[in-house]
Coordinates of all heavy atoms in Angstrom, one line a residue:
M1 N 98.0 124.6 80.7 CA 97.0 123.6 81.1 C 95.8 124.3 81.6 O 95.8 125.4 82.1 CB 97.7 122.9 82.3 CG 96.9 121.8 82.9 SD 97.7 121.0 84.4 CE 97.4 122.4 85.5
T2 N 94.6 123.6 81.4 CA 93.3 124.2 81.8 C 92.8 123.2 82.9 O 92.6 122.1 82.6 CB 92.4 124.5 80.7 OG1 93.0 125.4 79.8 CG2 91.1 125.1 81.3
L3 N 92.4 123.8 84.1 CA 91.7 122.9 85.1 C 90.4 123.3 85.2 O 90.0 124.5 85.1 CB 92.4 123.2 86.5 CG 93.9 122.7 86.7 CD1 94.4 123.4 88.0 CD2 93.9 121.2 86.9
Q4 N 89.4 122.4 85.4 CA 88.0 122.6 85.6 C 87.8 122.7 87.1 O 88.0 121.7 87.8 CB 87.2 121.5 84.9 CG 85.7 122.0 84.8 CD 85.6 123.1 83.8 OE1 86.2 123.2 82.8 NE2 84.6 124.0 84.2
V5 N 87.3 123.8 87.5 CA 87.1 124.1 89.1 C 85.7 124.4 89.3 O 85.0 125.3 88.7 CB 88.1 125.2 89.4 CG1 88.0 125.5 91.0 CG2 89.5 124.8 89.3
E6 N 85.2 123.9 90.4 CA 83.8 124.1 90.8 C 83.8 124.9 92.2 O 84.7 124.7 92.9 CB 83.2 122.7 91.1 CG 81.7 122.6 91.1 CD 81.2 121.2 91.3 OE1 81.2 120.6 90.1 OE2 80.9 120.9 92.3
G7 N 82.9 125.8 92.2 CA 82.8 126.6 93.4 C 83.1 128.0 93.3 O 82.8 128.8 94.2
M8 N 83.7 128.5 92.2 CA 84.0 129.9 91.9 C 82.5 130.5 91.5 O 82.0 130.2 90.6 CB 84.9 130.2 90.8 CG 86.3 129.6 91.2 SD 87.6 130.1 90.1 CE 87.1 129.3 88.5
T9 N 82.2 131.7 92.3 CA 80.9 132.3 92.0 C 81.0 133.7 91.6 O 80.0 134.3 91.2 CB 79.9 132.1 93.2 OG1 80.6 132.7 94.3 CG2 79.6 130.7 93.5
C10 N 82.2 134.2 91.7 CA 82.3 135.8 91.4 C 83.8 136.0 91.2 O 84.7 135.2 91.2 CB 81.9 136.5 92.6 SG 82.9 136.4 94.2
T11 N 84.0 137.4 90.7 CA 85.4 137.7 90.5 C 86.3 137.7 91.6 O 87.5 137.4 91.4 CB 85.4 139.1 89.9 OG1 84.8 140.1 90.8 CG2 84.6 139.2 88.6
G12 N 85.7 137.7 92.9 CA 86.5 137.5 94.1 C 87.2 136.2 94.1 O 88.3 136.0 94.5
C13 N 86.3 135.2 93.8 CA 86.9 133.8 93.8 C 87.9 133.6 92.6 O 89.0 133.0 92.9 CB 85.8 132.9 93.3 SG 84.4 132.8 94.6
E14 N 87.7 134.3 91.5 CA 88.7 134.2 90.4 C 90.2 134.8 91.0 O 91.1 134.2 90.8 CB 88.3 135.1 89.3 CG 87.1 134.6 88.6 CD 86.7 135.6 87.5 OE1 87.3 136.7 87.3 OE2 85.8 135.2 86.7
Q15 N 90.1 135.9 91.8 CA 91.2 136.5 92.2 C 91.8 135.6 93.3 O 93.1 135.5 93.3 CB 90.9 137.9 92.7 CG 90.8 138.8 91.6 CD 90.1 140.2 92.0 OE1 90.1 140.5 93.3 NE2 89.7 140.9 91.1
R16 N 91.0 135.0 94.2 CA 91.6 134.2 95.2 C 92.4 133.0 94.5 O 93.5 132.7 94.9 CB 90.4 133.8 96.2 CG 90.9 133.2 97.5 CD 89.9 132.9 98.3 NE 88.9 134.0 98.4 CZ 87.6 133.8 98.6 NH1 87.0 132.7 98.7 NH2 86.7 135.0 98.7
V17 N 91.6 132.3 93.6 CA 92.3 131.2 93.0 C 93.6 131.5 92.2 O 94.6 130.8 92.5 CB 91.2 130.5 92.0 CG1 91.9 129.4 91.2 CG2 90.2 129.8 92.8
S18 N 93.5 132.6 91.4 CA 94.7 132.9 90.7 C 95.9 133.4 91.6 O 97.0 133.1 91.3 CB 94.4 134.0 89.6 OG 93.8 135.1 90.1
K19 N 95.5 134.0 92.7 CA 96.6 134.5 93.7 C 97.2 133.3 94.2 O 98.5 133.4 94.3 CB 95.9 135.4 94.5 CG 96.9 136.3 95.3 CD 96.2 137.1 96.3 CE 95.5 138.5 95.7 NZ 94.9 139.3 96.6
V20 N 96.5 132.4 94.8 CA 97.2 131.2 95.4 C 98.0 130.4 94.5 O 99.2 130.0 94.9 CB 96.2 130.3 96.2 CG1 95.5 130.9 97.4 CG2 95.3 129.7 95.3
L21 N 97.7 130.4 93.2 CA 98.5 129.7 92.3 C 99.7 130.5 91.9 O 100.8 129.8 91.8 CB 97.6 129.4 91.0 CG 96.5 128.4 91.2 CD1 95.8 128.3 89.9 CD2 97.0 127.1 91.8
R22 N 99.5 131.8 91.6 CA 100.7 132.7 91.3 C 101.8 132.7 92.2 O 102.8 132.9 92.0 CB 100.4 134.1 90.9 CG 99.6 134.1 89.5 CD 99.2 135.6 89.3 NE 98.3 135.7 88.2 CZ 97.2 136.6 88.2 NH1 97.0 137.4 89.2 NH2 96.5 136.5 87.2
R23 N 101.4 132.5 93.6 CA 102.3 132.4 94.6 C 103.3 131.3 94.7 O 104.2 131.3 95.3 CB 101.5 132.6 95.9 CG 102.1 133.2 97.1 CD 101.3 133.1 98.4 NE 100.1 133.9 98.3 CZ 98.9 133.6 98.9 NH1 98.8 132.5 99.7 NH2 97.8 134.6 98.8
L24 N 102.9 130.2 94.0 CA 103.7 129.1 94.0 C 104.9 129.1 93.1 O 104.9 129.8 92.0 CB 102.8 127.9 93.4 CG 101.6 127.5 94.2 CD1 100.9 126.4 93.5 CD2 102.0 127.0 95.7
D25 N 106.0 128.5 93.6 CA 107.2 128.3 92.8 C 106.9 127.7 91.5 O 106.2 126.7 91.5 CB 108.3 127.7 93.5 CG 108.8 128.5 94.7 OD1 108.8 129.7 94.7 OD2 109.4 127.8 95.5
G26 N 107.3 128.2 90.3 CA 107.2 127.6 89.1 C 106.0 128.0 88.2 O 105.8 127.6 87.1
V27 N 105.0 128.7 89.0 CA 103.8 129.0 88.2 C 104.2 130.5 87.6 O 104.4 131.4 88.2 CB 102.5 129.2 89.2 CG1 101.4 129.8 88.5 CG2 102.2 127.9 89.6
R28 N 103.9 130.5 86.3 CA 104.3 131.8 85.5 C 103.0 132.6 85.4 O 103.1 133.8 85.4 CB 104.7 131.5 84.1 CG 106.0 130.6 84.1 CD 106.8 130.7 82.8 NE 107.9 129.8 82.6 CZ 107.9 128.6 82.3 NH1 106.8 128.1 81.6 NH2 109.0 127.8 82.3
E29 N 101.9 131.9 85.2 CA 100.7 132.7 85.0 C 99.4 131.9 85.4 O 99.4 130.7 85.2 CB 100.5 133.1 83.5 CG 99.4 134.1 83.2 CD 99.4 135.3 84.1 OE1 100.4 136.1 84.1 OE2 98.4 135.5 84.8
A30 N 98.4 132.5 86.1 CA 97.3 131.7 86.4 C 96.0 132.7 86.2 O 96.1 133.9 86.6 CB 97.3 131.3 87.8
T31 N 95.0 132.2 85.4 CA 93.9 133.1 85.2 C 92.6 132.2 85.3 O 92.6 131.1 84.8 CB 93.9 133.5 83.7 OG1 95.2 134.1 83.4 CG2 92.9 134.6 83.4
A32 N 91.8 132.7 86.2 CA 90.6 132.0 86.5 C 89.3 132.7 86.0 O 89.4 133.9 85.8 CB 90.4 131.8 88.0
D33 N 88.3 131.9 85.6 CA 87.1 132.4 85.0 C 85.9 131.7 85.8 O 85.7 130.6 85.6 CB 87.0 132.3 83.6 CG 85.8 132.9 82.8 OD1 84.8 133.0 83.6 OD2 85.8 133.2 81.6
H34 N 85.2 132.5 86.5 CA 84.1 131.9 87.3 C 82.9 131.4 86.5 O 82.2 130.5 86.9 CB 83.7 132.8 88.5 CG 82.8 133.8 88.1 ND1 83.3 135.0 87.7 CD2 81.5 134.0 88.2 CE1 82.2 135.8 87.4 NE2 81.2 135.2 87.8
R35 N 82.8 132.1 85.4 CA 81.6 131.8 84.6 C 81.8 130.4 83.9 O 80.8 129.6 83.8 CB 81.3 132.8 83.5 CG 80.8 134.1 84.1 CD 81.2 135.2 83.2 NE 82.6 135.3 83.0 CZ 83.2 136.2 82.3 NH1 82.5 137.2 81.8 NH2 84.4 136.3 82.2
T36 N 82.9 130.0 83.4 CA 83.2 128.7 82.9 C 83.8 127.7 83.9 O 83.8 126.6 83.6 CB 84.2 128.9 81.8 OG1 85.4 129.3 82.3 CG2 83.7 129.9 80.7
G37 N 84.3 128.2 85.0 CA 84.9 127.4 85.9 C 86.3 126.9 85.6 O 86.8 126.1 86.1
Q38 N 86.8 127.6 84.6 CA 88.1 127.2 84.1 C 89.3 128.0 84.6 O 89.1 129.2 84.8 CB 88.2 127.3 82.4 CG 87.3 126.2 81.9 CD 87.4 126.1 80.4 OE1 87.9 127.1 79.8 NE2 87.1 125.0 79.8
V39 N 90.4 127.4 84.9 CA 91.5 128.0 85.5 C 92.6 127.6 84.5 O 93.1 126.4 84.4 CB 91.9 127.7 86.9 CG1 93.1 128.3 87.4 CG2 90.7 127.9 87.8
R40 N 93.2 128.6 84.0 CA 94.3 128.4 83.0 C 95.6 128.6 83.7 O 95.8 129.7 84.3 CB 94.2 129.2 81.8 CG 93.1 129.0 80.9 CD 92.9 129.9 79.7 NE 94.2 129.9 78.9 CZ 94.5 129.0 78.0 NH1 93.6 128.1 77.7 NH2 95.7 129.1 77.2
V41 N 96.5 127.7 83.6 CA 97.8 127.8 84.4 C 99.0 127.5 83.5 O 99.0 126.5 82.7 CB 97.9 126.9 85.5 CG1 99.0 127.3 86.3 CG2 96.6 126.9 86.5
R42 N 100.0 128.4 83.5 CA 101.2 128.1 82.8 C 102.2 127.9 83.9 O 102.5 128.8 84.8 CB 101.7 129.4 82.0 CG 100.6 129.5 80.7 CD 101.4 130.1 79.6 NE 102.0 131.3 79.9 CZ 103.3 131.7 79.7 NH1 104.1 130.8 79.1 NH2 103.9 132.7 80.1
F43 N 102.9 126.8 83.9 CA 103.9 126.6 85.0 C 105.1 125.7 84.5 O 105.0 125.1 83.2 CB 103.2 125.8 86.1 CG 102.7 124.4 85.8 CD1 103.5 123.3 86.0 CD2 101.4 124.2 85.2 CE1 102.9 122.0 85.6 CE2 100.9 123.0 84.8 CZ 101.8 121.8 85.1
D44 N 106.1 125.7 85.2 CA 107.3 125.0 84.7 C 107.2 123.6 85.4 O 107.3 123.4 86.6 CB 108.5 125.7 85.3 CG 109.8 125.0 85.0 OD1 109.8 123.9 84.6 OD2 110.9 125.8 85.0
P45 N 107.2 122.6 84.6 CA 106.9 121.2 85.1 C 108.0 120.6 85.8 O 107.9 119.6 86.5 CB 106.5 120.5 83.8 CG 107.0 121.2 82.7 CD 107.1 122.6 83.1
I46 N 109.2 121.3 85.8 CA 110.3 120.7 86.5 C 110.2 121.3 87.9 O 110.7 120.6 88.9 CB 111.6 121.4 85.9 CG1 111.8 120.7 84.5 CG2 112.9 121.1 86.7 CD1 112.9 121.4 83.6
V47 N 109.6 122.4 88.1 CA 109.5 123.0 89.5 C 108.3 122.5 90.2 O 108.3 122.3 91.5 CB 109.4 124.5 89.4 CG1 109.4 125.1 90.8 CG2 110.7 125.0 88.6
T48 N 107.1 122.4 89.5 CA 105.9 122.0 90.2 C 105.1 121.1 89.3 O 105.4 120.8 88.3 CB 105.1 123.3 90.5 OG1 104.0 123.1 91.5 CG2 104.6 124.0 89.3
D49 N 103.9 120.6 89.7 CA 103.1 119.8 89.0 C 101.7 120.0 89.4 O 101.2 120.7 90.3 CB 103.6 118.3 89.1 CG 103.4 117.8 90.5 OD1 102.5 118.3 91.3 OD2 104.1 116.8 90.9
R50 N 100.8 119.3 88.6 CA 99.4 119.6 88.6 C 98.9 119.2 89.9 O 97.9 119.9 90.4 CB 98.8 118.5 87.6 CG 97.3 118.5 87.5 CD 96.8 117.4 86.8 NE 95.4 117.3 86.9 CZ 94.4 117.9 86.1 NH1 95.0 118.5 84.9 NH2 93.2 117.9 86.3
A51 N 99.5 118.1 90.6 CA 99.0 117.8 91.9 C 99.2 118.9 93.0 O 98.2 119.1 93.8 CB 99.6 116.5 92.4
V52 N 100.3 119.6 92.9 CA 100.5 120.7 93.8 C 99.5 121.8 93.4 O 98.9 122.4 94.4 CB 102.0 121.3 93.6 CG1 102.1 122.6 94.4 CG2 102.9 120.3 93.9
L53 N 99.2 122.1 92.2 CA 98.3 123.2 91.9 C 96.8 122.8 92.4 O 96.1 123.7 93.0 CB 98.1 123.3 90.4 CG 99.4 123.6 89.7 CD1 99.3 123.7 88.2 CD2 100.1 124.9 90.2
E54 N 96.4 121.5 92.2 CA 95.2 121.1 92.8 C 94.9 121.2 94.2 O 93.9 121.6 94.6 CB 94.9 119.6 92.3 CG 94.7 119.4 90.7 CD 94.2 118.0 90.5 OE1 94.0 117.1 91.4 OE2 94.1 117.7 89.2
T55 N 96.1 120.8 95.0 CA 96.1 120.9 96.4 C 95.8 122.4 96.8 O 95.1 122.7 97.7 CB 97.4 120.4 97.0 OG1 97.5 118.9 96.6 CG2 97.3 120.6 98.5
Q56 N 96.4 123.3 96.1 CA 96.3 124.7 96.5 C 94.9 125.1 96.2 O 94.4 125.9 97.1 CB 97.2 125.6 95.7 CG 98.8 125.5 96.1 CD 98.7 125.8 97.6 OE1 98.4 127.0 98.1 NE2 99.5 125.1 98.5
I57 N 94.3 124.9 95.1 CA 92.9 125.2 94.9 C 91.9 124.6 95.8 O 91.1 125.3 96.3 CB 92.6 124.8 93.3 CG1 93.4 125.5 92.4 CG2 91.1 124.9 93.1 CD1 93.3 125.1 90.9
E58 N 92.2 123.3 96.2 CA 91.2 122.7 97.1 C 91.4 123.3 98.5 O 90.4 123.4 99.3 CB 91.4 121.2 97.0 CG 90.8 120.8 95.7 CD 91.0 119.3 95.4 OE1 91.6 118.5 96.4 OE2 90.5 118.9 94.4
T59 N 92.6 123.7 98.9 CA 93.0 124.4 100.2 C 92.2 125.7 100.3 O 91.6 126.1 101.4 CB 94.4 124.5 100.5 OG1 95.1 123.2 100.4 CG2 94.7 125.1 101.8
A60 N 92.2 126.3 99.1 CA 91.5 127.7 99.1 C 89.9 127.5 99.1 O 89.1 128.4 99.2 CB 91.9 128.5 97.7
G61 N 89.4 126.3 99.0 CA 87.9 126.0 99.2 C 87.2 125.6 97.9 O 85.9 125.7 97.9
Y62 N 87.9 125.3 96.9 CA 87.3 125.0 95.6 C 87.5 123.5 95.3 O 88.5 123.0 95.7 CB 87.7 125.9 94.6 CG 87.4 127.4 94.8 CD1 88.6 128.1 95.5 CD2 86.3 128.0 94.8 CE1 88.3 129.4 95.9 CE2 86.1 129.3 95.3 CZ 87.1 130.0 95.8 OH 86.9 131.2 96.1
Q63 N 86.7 123.0 94.3 CA 87.0 121.6 93.9 C 87.4 121.5 92.5 O 86.9 122.1 91.6 CB 85.6 120.8 94.0 CG 85.1 120.7 95.4 CD 86.1 119.8 96.3 OE1 86.5 118.8 95.7 NE2 86.2 120.2 97.5
V64 N 88.5 120.8 92.3 CA 89.0 120.5 90.9 C 88.2 119.3 90.4 O 88.2 118.2 91.0 CB 90.4 120.3 90.9 CG1 90.9 119.9 89.4 CG2 91.2 121.4 91.4
T65 N 87.5 119.6 89.3 CA 86.5 118.4 88.8 C 87.1 117.7 87.7 O 86.4 116.6 87.3 CB 85.2 119.1 88.5 OG1 85.2 119.9 87.6 CG2 84.5 119.6 89.8
D66 N 88.0 118.2 87.0 CA 88.4 117.5 85.8 C 89.6 116.7 85.9 O 90.6 117.2 86.7 CB 88.4 118.4 84.5 CG 89.8 118.7 84.0 OD1 90.4 119.6 84.8 OD2 90.3 117.9 83.1
D67 N 89.7 115.6 85.3 CA 91.1 114.9 85.6 C 91.5 114.3 84.4 O 92.2 113.2 84.5 CB 90.9 113.9 86.6 CG 90.4 112.9 87.1 OD1 89.7 112.2 86.7 OD2 90.8 113.1 88.3
Q68 N 91.3 114.9 83.2 CA 91.5 114.2 82.0 C 93.1 114.3 81.7 O 93.4 113.5 80.9 CB 90.8 115.0 80.8 CG 91.0 116.5 80.6 CD 90.0 117.0 79.8 OE1 89.1 116.5 79.4 NE2 90.1 118.3 79.5
Q69 N 93.8 115.3 82.3 CA 95.2 115.4 81.9 C 96.0 115.1 83.2 O 95.7 115.4 84.3 CB 95.6 116.9 81.6 CG 94.8 117.5 80.4 CD 95.2 118.9 80.3 OE1 96.4 119.4 80.2 NE2 94.1 119.8 80.5
G70 N 97.0 114.4 82.9 CA 98.0 114.1 84.0 C 97.8 113.0 84.8 O 98.8 112.3 85.2
G71 N 96.5 112.5 85.1 CA 96.3 111.4 85.9 C 97.0 111.4 87.2 O 97.5 110.3 87.7
S72 N 96.9 112.6 87.9 CA 97.7 112.7 89.1 C 96.8 112.3 90.3 O 97.2 112.4 91.3 CB 98.1 114.2 89.3 OG 96.9 115.0 89.2
R73 N 95.5 111.8 90.1 CA 94.7 111.3 91.2 C 94.6 109.9 91.2 O 94.0 109.5 90.4 CB 93.4 112.1 91.2 CG 93.6 113.6 91.1 CD 92.1 114.2 90.9 NE 92.0 115.1 92.0 CZ 90.7 115.6 92.3 NH1 89.6 115.1 91.8 NH2 90.6 116.6 93.1
Ligands
LIG1 CU1 83.3 134.5 94.9

C-alpha cells in the first residue's frame, strides 16, 4: 500500500515516519520518500489496518492526504 503524506521535508522525516510504522505489530516493511511524499507500507491486514498506520503518521506530526484506498476515514 502507498500512502500520500504531507509534511516530510528531509531524510530525517523519512526515518521518523518509517520508524514509527515499523514499530507497529503487523508491519513488515515501511519506506518513506520525502521528495514524493509517498510512504510504502507492507503489512499484515489481519494484525493491523490503514487507520492504525494513518494515526501513527499523524501522531508523528505529518498529514496523510490521500484516501483513495480503504475508505477508512
Ligand atoms: Cu525532516
Side-chain angles (χ1 to χ4, degrees):
M1 181 185 73
T2 302
L3 293 166
Q4 193 67 40
V5 175
E6 205 171 274
M8 296 188 294
T9 55
C10 67
T11 55
C13 296
E14 295 173 356
Q15 283 166 17
R16 194 172 315 146
V17 170
S18 56
K19 199 180 281 181
V20 296
L21 294 177
R22 283 181 195 145
R23 211 183 285 151
L24 296 173
D25 286 342
V27 173
R28 298 196 185 100
E29 186 54 58
T31 311
D33 186 332
H34 77 276
R35 287 156 303 182
T36 60
Q38 290 185 338
V39 179
R40 295 177 54 84
V41 190
R42 292 204 311 127
F43 64 96
D44 184 341
I46 294 168
V47 180
T48 190
D49 63 25
R50 182 193 170 93
V52 174
L53 305 179
E54 288 189 3
T55 300
Q56 285 301 311
I57 292 170
E58 290 178 356
T59 299
Y62 305 95
Q63 293 296 316
V64 179
T65 57
D66 108 279
D67 32 45
Q68 61 194 2
Q69 302 175 59
S72 59
R73 305 174 129 195

